[in-house]
Amino acid sequence: MAMSTTEKKIRVFLADDHVLVRQGFRRMLEDDARIEVVGEAGTGLAAMEQCKQLKPDVIVMDLSMPDLGGLEATAEILKQNPETKVLILSMYSNENYVRKAFEVGAKGYMLKDAIEIDLTRAVTALAAGESYVSPGISNLVIQGLKSGSFQDPEKDSHERLTLREKEVLLLIAQGKSNKEIAALLNISVNTVAVHRAHVMETLGLHRTAELVLYAVKKGLIQAH
């Protein structure tokens, strides 16, 4: 496709742990004169470090990355460069993965079996400020938008917790240690740790203080 001399190229960064896959992506994208691949990485941490400097327009990010997963890397990169658009690549059409991708700030979600046809289209759509989802999962996103689950990640997050996880959340918010919670619920300390981690992941929280604040906002405990 022809491009005027004044038109800026779309600067793309590739993050995938397979060298041959990245090479294939590069060839596909650079066949389009509007696109320039400015860097690539094989791990989530490397992608995070390089994107901090490169500030690409669009990142093509594999969901499953070594040392730091694609969703975690996306969240960290967008803290540094909120203007960057991220396209998540995945083998999974599961609604939970799609929802999480949009919750962390990704603007597109593509199934790997659609890459050969749609990668360039997805990258140019994101660069233009649009969202993109593979046709095979577009209905999931439409349903999510209608229900509000993509617009308000916290809206139903508490309801996604199991009864035991809600108990653990309440006890954490009351200042109980993992050991104390284990004794009160008659479960192992390791099990408490697993529940705590899942509660934080489901609610999108990272520190105990955030859990306490969440519990206060939800009216689960009274602020002192």
Side-chain angles (χ1 to χ4, degrees):
M1 184 177 293
M3 184 180 72
S4 70
T5 54
T6 57
E7 189 176 348
K8 284 179 62 179
K9 287 196 175 188
I10 300 167
R11 301 172 69 254
V12 178
F13 187 91
L14 305 175
D16 191 287
D17 57 334
H18 296 98
V19 176
L20 291 176
V21 171
R22 296 200 306 270
Q23 289 175 352
F25 291 168
R26 182 183 283 271
R27 281 196 298 271
M28 275 185 262
L29 291 171
E30 292 190 336
D31 275 346
D32 191 309
R34 297 169 295 176
I35 297 172
E36 175 188 10
V37 176
V38 296
E40 56 183 75
T43 71
L45 282 175
M48 194 173 73
E49 288 303 313
Q50 291 188 54
C51 289
K52 194 183 298 182
Q53 305 301 324
L54 291 169
K55 297 181 171 58
D57 299 312
V58 178
I59 301 171
V60 177
M61 175 78 74
D62 189 14
L63 182 70
S64 303
M65 295 280 285
D67 71 32
L68 190 68
L71 298 183
E72 292 83 358
T74 294
E76 291 302 317
I77 288 167
L78 292 178
K79 284 179 189 174
Q80 300 288 334
N81 305 311
E83 298 305 311
T84 295
K85 307 297 190 294
V86 180
L87 173 67
I88 295 291
L89 301 182
S90 174
M91 295 169 59
Y92 308 107
S93 59
N94 181 287
E95 182 181 359
N96 197 40
Y97 287 111
V98 181
R99 176 180 54 77
K100 285 184 177 180
F102 280 90
E103 282 179 7
V104 299
K107 296 299 182 185
Y109 192 101
M110 173 175 282
L111 297 178
K112 285 195 168 183
D113 58 10
I115 283 173
E116 193 168 339
I117 304 168
D118 293 331
L119 183 60
T120 300
R121 186 187 306 171
V123 165
T124 53
L126 264 63
E130 302 169 12
S131 296
Y132 185 92
V133 291
S134 288
I137 55 174
S138 57
N139 286 340
L140 290 176
V141 176
I142 290 167
Q143 290 163 12
L145 289 169
K146 284 181 178 176
S147 69
S149 61
F150 290 132
Q151 297 171 330
D152 185 1
E154 194 178 289
K155 185 177 178 183
D156 298 313
S157 53
H158 187 256
E159 297 311 310
R160 295 200 301 272
L161 298 176
T162 66
L163 182 59
R164 179 48 57 90
E165 287 165 355
K166 289 176 181 177
E167 290 175 333
V168 170
L169 167 61
L170 184 59
L171 291 169
I172 292 171
Q174 290 172 351
K176 306 293 186 187
S177 67
N178 282 11
K179 189 174 180 180
E180 289 171 322
I181 295 170
L184 286 166
L185 299 180
N186 196 29
I187 56 178
S188 73
V189 174
N190 283 343
T191 300
V192 174
V194 170
H195 285 316
R196 178 191 284 258
H198 192 258
V199 167
M200 287 185 162
E201 180 187 358
T202 302
L203 300 180
L205 305 176
H206 306 286
R207 293 185 293 273
T208 300
E210 292 175 344
L211 281 178
V212 175
L213 182 60
Y214 176 89
V216 170
K217 283 168 61 180
K218 282 287 185 182
L220 305 178
I221 60 170
Q222 298 299 312
H224 296 294

